[in-house]
Amino acid sequence: MEILMILTIGVLFTVATYLILSKSLLRVIIGVVVISHGAHLLLLTLSGLQQGAPPLLGEEASAYSDPLPQALILTAIVIGFGITAFMLVLAYRTYKEHKTDNFDELRGTEDE
Amino acid sequence: MSMLHFVTLAPFIMAIFVPIIYKKFRHLHTGWFILPLPLILFIYLFQYLPLDGAPMETVSHSVSWVPSLDINFTVYLDGLSLLFALLITGIGTLVVLYSIYYIANKKEEPLNNFYVYLMMFMGAMLGVVLSDNLIVLYVFWEITSLASSLLIAYWFHKEKSRYGAQKSMLITVTGGFSMLAGFTLLYLMADTFSIRGIIAVADVIVTSPLFIPAMLLILLGAFTKSAQFPFHIWLPDAMEAPTPVSAYLHSATMVKAGIYLVARMTPVFGGQAEWFWIISSFGLFTLLWGSVSAVRQKDLKGILAFSTVSQLGLIMSLLGLGSAAYHYDIIDGTSLPVVAILAAVFHLINHATFKGSLFMVVGIIDHETGTRDIRKLGGLMTIMPITFTVSLIGIASMAGLPPFNGFLSKEMFFTGTLNSATLDVFNVGNLGVIFPIVAWIASVFTFIYCMIMLFKTFTGKHQPEKLDKAAHEAPIGLLISPIILASLVIVFGLFPNLLSYTIIEPVMQSIMPGLTASGEQFYVNIYHWHGFNTELFMTMGVIFFGSLLFLNQKKWQETAFYLRERDPLNWFYDNGLTGLINGSSVVNNVQMTGRLRDYFSYMFIFLIAIVSFMLWQSNALTVDFTNTTEIPSYMYLVSLSLILCTIVIPFVSKRISAIVLMGVVGFLVALLFVVFRAPDLALTQLLVETVMVVLFLLVFYHLPELRKETFKPVFRLSNLIISIGVGLVVTLTALSVHAYSYENPISPISDFFVENSYALAGGNNIVNVILVDFRGLDTLLEVLVLGIVALGVVVLIKFKARKGEDV
């Protein structure tokens, strides 16, 4: 299963990179969202996909899946969400002020 | 702190008080308050001279500065340091006196600046010659560069002054840095920064592979400072400084710092063929180049500047030729190369005296007539008789005519080069014939520019209409210093042995320590008349051909080379500097495009390059298909739909479809979390994805419709390649990590959390226990992140930029 997951993650990274390299603000933000998905899944995959019980002690199982990466990913999801939300609002304000979402047209003034 | 430390630091202390004096005593020229200091220092240093003929006793005192790095402020006074210290303080006194009358306008001139810089320079120069520690020497060395630039740009409202100051700064500081590198290499070899310590282990460090690099780096420093070819170009431009500065810095003291360094380092590097050839050939070429260039000049200070370059080359070449003395184990005063060292030291003193007086004289002419252009001057002999007399003495000495001291040193110079021609060391062989020939040609040109200076200025027709002022003799105050220097020229010329045992012998002792038999010292005797020998005929030839060429000057000076007054090497400096600036702006413009896409490309390309290089380098690339967990059949479906949804996102051109697809990807990830037994993650992912989609939908109303990307095909292809590269690198790394972790299993720390979640924290949900108990700090800061984001969002939305304000 790990190999399958890693290949999927590779596709996520490829697409995310392609999106980040584009010129439109919205596409870049979607790219960032996708790349964070890739990172979260990578974290989970590389810590081992044992087929244990969910990390809840009440389950009385002999083996649990690793709880630490889950805690790390949870933190990362929340932070990624915060950043994305902020970027969205930033994109919104940028468009309000400059009437464009194209990076080529957001290159700053001549004297800079 | 000894008296010698105080000698070094006194000018700096004085510099602190100069502005106060300047403010408090406006009616009296600030220079009068400065004057006693160099005089006292000179008298103090004078008493170290071995006047009784006994060998000079060296003095050394040390004060800790940074003992842990072996940097101590150690002062060391031997013959060489004493000679330079006497020159610095002695000529310093005369220059201060001269400057009082030269910069006489108390109201308009910023005298406090002038004397602060001058004192700074004097202290730094004393520090250079008295320091035994290389790092301390370097510190003082850089202060001389700084003070020199400040003094050159004293009239900073002039474009040319600033140009000259920048040029001298750039060139000398470049040399200074390389010298520091050379000192560091010396430290690595000798394990001490003390010059005496290094000399003591000189025979060991000769064998080190760092020896030649250290030699070259230190020589670069010495050559830039002492205006050796091709670094001499800063010196003629430094003539924009006030004349007392030119007289002091750019003839007598600072430009000799490089000479000092070479002389000081001779016991370490001398005796090596590289040292011999580099110094003597560069010196001789500088001598020739400087003397030929000086003839072209139309400005008196220009002539003197190139003359200084040429004479510095002479001294340098003599030091190089004399380093052959190290080839002999024990030598006496009559050994062939020793004469070269003797001539170098003697000419060093002579040059300081006559060049100082000549600069001062030129300053007087400038001061009294308003010009230094030889095409405008003429017939000043009867108008300025004293100035003329002083000039005549200085010029005759510079040209090497008897009975002045220049004659003696020039004769010895010829002896030195003739001796070197017969050396049987360093593969000199037939090449040695070049030395006396070059020396002779350079002397002919020296003679020509001396004649030009003398006759164009003082004889011929007086042309008052071309001058700004009515020419008249200078006030006595201006004349005192050049008269003293000119009398020294005569005294040293007539009684050269006044110098021989008092100063020249100790100097030679310190340039060539350990070469005399123990208890012995060098015995120097300089004769005015030494019979009809080759040197005398060479001098006669110089006078004959020099006069011939001078009289026919019109005929040969019309050639293209001689019409150009600026040194042709300036072209390289100017174009090099502008080329450097333009080149960096070209590089900058190519690289810093202002496009986000380009910067991301750099980052991704380097990421790909570095990671794949490391994978290849450490042979880490392994793919292991065996140690994997079983794949449930539904996983293919989930993965496939995830891959499909993701791949489609870049191709949709409707923003709503892009957002929906992004949402689907998020929910599929949540599904994967369910599959991988992570209920909390799945819950959070679902919630976050929902909120995110809502946010996107809120914003999307305000964003324009997605357009088709209009990249050029090249960019489109490179984007594709970069993204596939990133995906590939991530995949390969992940596969390698996976394979590695199966081969080298490590028991995860999570076992501790599983065991102790209930026992220590009283919770059954291990993930939540980790978040709020075991690793609660992460959570705290994550909450902080959310808080900051919320505040940022509010600020972004609430606060609008006013019109005209830059966003």
Side-chain angles (χ1 to χ4, degrees):
Chain A
M1 188 142 65
E2 281 87 349
I3 308 290
L4 180 68
M5 279 312 294
I6 286 171
L7 292 178
T8 315
I9 291 160
V11 172
L12 285 182
F13 268 90
T14 310
V15 172
T17 311
Y18 190 81
L19 285 169
I20 286 174
L21 287 173
S22 64
K23 277 194 248 179
S24 135
L25 203 52
L26 194 62
R27 278 201 176 93
V28 173
I29 297 173
I30 293 177
V32 173
V33 171
V34 173
I35 214 169
S36 58
H37 284 325
H40 300 158
L41 287 177
L42 192 61
L43 204 52
L44 200 64
T45 309
L46 288 183
S47 67
L49 296 173
Q50 307 106 317
Q51 298 290 316
L56 300 167
L57 286 178
E59 297 278 309
E60 302 284 342
S62 56
Y64 296 100
S65 57
D66 196 336
L68 187 61
Q70 296 191 12
L72 296 180
I73 294 168
L74 198 61
T75 313
I77 289 175
V78 175
I79 290 174
F81 165 69
I83 301 297
T84 313
F86 186 76
M87 280 200 304
L88 276 172
V89 178
L90 203 59
Y92 157 75
R93 271 314 295 266
T94 311
Y95 185 66
K96 280 269 145 162
E97 297 290 340
H98 294 288
K99 302 286 172 239
T100 177
D101 72 333
N102 187 331
F103 279 123
D104 278 356
E105 291 159 26
L106 286 171
R107 277 175 63 197
T109 46
E110 275 303 304
D111 58 327
E112 273 176 54
Chain B
M1 291 289 269
S2 66
M3 270 311 281
L4 277 178
H5 284 104
F6 185 72
V7 166
T8 315
L9 295 179
F12 290 108
I13 299 165
M14 192 70 187
I16 296 171
F17 288 107
V18 166
I20 303 166
I21 296 169
Y22 179 70
K23 280 263 176 337
K24 288 275 173 201
F25 306 94
R26 292 305 291 259
H27 56 284
L28 202 58
H29 197 285
T30 317
W32 290 115
F33 296 96
I34 309 288
L35 189 59
L37 178 74
L39 190 62
I40 292 168
L41 294 182
F42 180 77
I43 294 167
Y44 174 75
L45 287 165
F46 196 79
Q47 55 166 348
Y48 281 102
L49 278 179
L51 295 172
D52 51 358
M56 185 183 154
E57 289 182 18
T58 57
V59 189
S60 172
H61 298 283
S62 190
V63 171
S64 292
W65 185 11
V66 194
S68 56
L69 298 178
D70 189 29
I71 298 172
N72 298 304
F73 187 9
T74 309
V75 287
Y76 175 61
L77 190 76
D78 62 352
L80 189 63
S81 325
L82 184 59
L83 166 65
F84 274 89
L86 285 174
L87 281 179
I88 293 160
T89 49
I91 296 182
T93 313
L94 298 176
V95 161
V96 170
L97 179 65
Y98 178 79
S99 69
I100 292 171
Y101 291 93
Y102 189 82
I103 312 182
N105 196 335
K106 293 202 292 267
K107 297 246 161 50
E108 288 176 14
E109 297 285 353
L111 286 172
N112 49 349
N113 294 353
F114 183 79
Y115 286 109
V116 167
Y117 302 157
L118 199 70
M119 284 297 108
M120 210 166 110
F121 172 78
M122 188 184 283
M125 201 64 211
L126 282 171
V128 166
V129 301
L130 290 174
S131 295
D132 181 53
N133 191 291
L134 287 176
I135 295 296
V136 178
L137 190 152
Y138 170 73
V139 169
F140 284 121
W141 183 280
E142 291 295 22
I143 300 176
T144 63
S145 296
L146 179 67
S148 164
S149 285
L150 288 169
L151 282 166
I152 295 170
Y154 174 63
W155 289 307
F156 51 80
H157 46 84
K158 285 196 209 161
E159 170 80 40
K160 277 181 136 186
S161 301
R162 298 198 302 270
Y163 172 79
Q166 188 202 33
K167 194 173 187 177
S168 82
M169 188 78 171
L170 285 177
I171 293 178
T172 53
V173 168
T174 306
F177 274 144
S178 83
M179 193 181 81
L180 180 63
F183 287 170
T184 318
L185 293 184
L186 270 184
Y187 178 75
L188 290 179
M189 289 184 279
D191 201 30
T192 172
F193 276 127
S194 159
I195 297 175
R196 278 172 296 161
I198 291 169
I199 291 172
V201 293
D203 47 341
V204 181
I205 64 178
V206 167
T207 56
S208 167
L210 296 176
F211 182 74
I212 297 292
M215 173 196 286
L216 294 178
L217 288 167
I218 291 175
L219 275 183
L220 188 63
F223 280 4
T224 48
K225 198 77 161 181
S226 278
Q228 298 295 299
F229 186 89
F231 310 110
H232 64 278
I233 48 172
W234 67 267
L235 189 63
D237 283 304
M239 291 301 128
E240 294 300 323
T243 303
V245 173
S246 308
Y248 188 40
L249 274 68
H250 306 127
S251 73
T253 54
M254 187 179 91
V255 288
K256 294 204 170 105
I259 305 265
Y260 169 81
L261 192 69
V262 168
R264 190 46 102 196
M265 288 294 160
T266 299
V268 182
F269 297 109
Q272 301 303 311
E274 292 87 356
W275 178 263
F276 174 86
W277 280 110
I278 292 174
I279 298 184
S280 44
S281 52
F282 271 88
L284 278 173
F285 194 76
T286 311
L287 166 67
L288 189 63
W289 183 274
S291 61
V292 173
S293 302
V295 180
R296 293 203 302 249
Q297 302 300 310
K298 301 287 178 282
D299 176 12
L300 284 174
K301 269 179 115 174
I303 299 179
L304 285 179
F306 277 107
S307 154
T308 305
V309 169
S310 145
Q311 310 269 325
L312 289 169
L314 187 157
I315 300 170
M316 197 64 99
S317 67
L318 282 171
L319 283 176
L321 296 175
S323 73
Y326 273 87
H327 200 72
Y328 308 94
D329 280 339
I330 291 182
I331 48 174
D332 51 47
T334 56
S335 285
L336 299 181
V338 175
V339 180
I341 299 275
L342 167 63
V345 177
F346 192 44
H347 194 70
L348 181 81
I349 304 169
N350 295 342
H351 179 251
T353 52
F354 69 68
K355 194 53 65 69
S357 76
L358 283 176
F359 266 109
M360 290 176 183
V361 166
V362 166
I364 291 172
I365 295 170
D366 188 14
H367 208 258
E368 304 307 331
T369 64
T371 183
R372 298 190 310 244
D373 194 324
I374 51 170
R375 286 164 298 197
K376 295 182 185 169
L377 293 167
L380 292 178
M381 182 159 51
T382 47
I383 302 167
M384 306 171 79
I386 305 173
T387 313
F388 167 68
T389 317
V390 173
S391 306
L392 183 67
I393 295 167
I395 288 171
S397 176
M398 183 158 77
L401 298 178
F404 305 105
N405 55 11
F407 170 70
L408 296 167
S409 46
K410 184 140 293 183
E411 293 284 282
M412 281 193 275
F413 169 55
F414 285 151
T415 316
T417 50
L418 285 170
N419 285 347
S420 306
T422 61
L423 274 183
D424 55 352
V425 293
F426 305 141
N427 305 320
V428 172
N430 293 331
L431 280 174
V433 183
I434 299 170
F435 300 151
I437 293 176
V438 171
W440 186 80
I441 297 172
S443 300
V444 173
F445 278 94
T446 307
F447 190 82
I448 297 171
Y449 70 70
C450 289
M451 292 302 107
I452 291 175
M453 262 191 90
L454 187 68
F455 289 113
K456 293 274 162 93
T457 316
F458 293 103
T459 61
K461 231 176 106 233
H462 183 48
Q463 299 154 303
E465 71 281 358
K466 286 188 181 172
L467 303 178
D468 299 342
K469 302 175 183 174
H472 56 82
E473 186 56 277
I476 186 67
L478 264 180
L479 286 165
I480 298 172
S481 304
I483 289 174
I484 293 174
L485 285 172
S487 344
L488 284 178
V489 169
I490 301 176
V491 170
F492 292 160
L494 294 178
F495 311 104
N497 287 319
L498 277 180
L499 290 172
S500 61
Y501 69 88
T502 50
I503 187 75
I504 295 178
E505 283 171 11
V507 172
M508 293 180 67
Q509 205 71 36
S510 44
I511 297 179
M512 298 178 286
L515 283 188
T516 48
S518 58
E520 292 287 306
Q521 53 175 322
F522 293 99
Y523 289 106
V524 176
N525 225 343
I526 304 168
Y527 300 104
H528 229 155
W529 177 249
H530 32 72
F532 286 104
N533 50 14
T534 325
E535 293 88 328
L536 193 65
F537 291 119
M538 281 170 85
T539 304
M540 286 174 177
V542 165
I543 296 171
F544 175 72
F545 281 101
S547 315
L548 205 66
L549 282 171
F550 174 67
L551 293 174
N552 299 311
Q553 202 186 349
K554 283 257 161 50
K555 287 179 192 162
W556 54 273
Q557 252 193 334
E558 297 296 311
T559 52
F561 179 70
Y562 266 100
L563 291 177
R564 198 163 33 181
E565 202 178 321
R566 296 263 295 164
D567 199 302
L569 283 175
N570 277 314
W571 184 87
F572 285 100
Y573 170 80
D574 290 334
N575 283 338
L577 202 60
T578 47
L580 210 59
I581 293 166
N582 294 341
S584 8
S585 75
V586 165
V587 170
N588 193 48
N589 289 342
V590 167
Q591 184 197 350
M592 307 306 280
T593 53
R595 284 196 199 90
L596 191 66
R597 189 239 160 216
D598 293 343
Y599 303 145
F600 268 129
S601 320
Y602 303 150
M603 286 190 250
F604 285 134
I605 288 170
F606 274 92
L607 176 90
I608 296 168
I610 291 168
V611 174
S612 50
F613 175 76
M614 279 316 291
L615 278 177
W616 170 74
Q617 170 86 4
S618 47
N619 216 2
L621 190 59
T622 45
V623 181
D624 182 7
F625 288 105
T626 50
N627 295 317
T628 48
T629 43
E630 186 193 338
I631 308 175
S633 49
Y634 59 87
M635 266 304 290
Y636 288 110
L637 190 68
V638 177
S639 302
L640 200 66
S641 32
L642 184 57
I643 290 173
L644 276 178
C645 289
T646 325
I647 287 184
V648 174
I649 294 177
F651 298 101
V652 296
S653 49
K654 288 252 183 284
R655 52 195 167 164
I656 186 78
S657 347
I659 291 166
V660 167
L661 279 170
M662 193 201 76
V664 171
V665 169
F667 290 130
L668 283 172
V669 171
L671 187 60
L672 279 175
F673 288 150
V674 172
V675 171
F676 296 134
R677 313 282 196 282
D680 296 292
L681 283 186
L683 190 63
T684 318
Q685 180 66 33
L686 270 175
L687 279 173
V688 161
E689 201 54 43
T690 314
V691 176
M692 198 109 86
V693 170
V694 170
L695 270 177
F696 266 93
L697 290 175
L698 277 177
V699 168
F700 116 112
Y701 182 71
H702 297 282
L703 286 180
E705 188 52 71
L706 283 178
R707 280 164 301 185
K708 247 183 130 56
E709 295 283 88
T710 51
F711 277 117
K712 288 183 208 153
V714 184
F715 277 148
R716 189 185 289 278
L717 189 66
S718 67
N719 282 356
L720 196 64
I721 293 172
I722 291 170
S723 26
I724 289 175
V726 170
L728 212 58
V729 154
V730 170
T731 314
L732 290 177
T733 314
L735 283 173
S736 307
V737 171
H738 171 69
Y740 180 84
S741 64
Y742 262 98
E743 276 166 31
N744 309 279
I746 20 169
S747 61
I749 190 175
S750 304
D751 294 346
F752 170 83
F753 294 131
V754 176
E755 277 163 28
N756 292 302
S757 174
Y758 190 77
L760 289 181
N764 282 328
N765 187 335
I766 309 174
V767 173
N768 288 5
V769 166
I770 291 176
L771 281 175
V772 298
D773 194 312
F774 289 123
R775 299 178 57 89
L777 203 59
D778 291 355
T779 313
L780 177 70
L781 295 177
E782 162 200 342
V783 171
L784 188 68
V785 168
L786 278 188
I788 292 170
V789 165
L791 279 176
V793 168
V794 171
V795 168
L796 270 179
I797 291 175
K798 281 278 173 194
F799 291 80
K800 305 259 188 227
R802 283 182 212 90
K803 265 222 149 66
E805 216 172 31
D806 200 4
V807 198

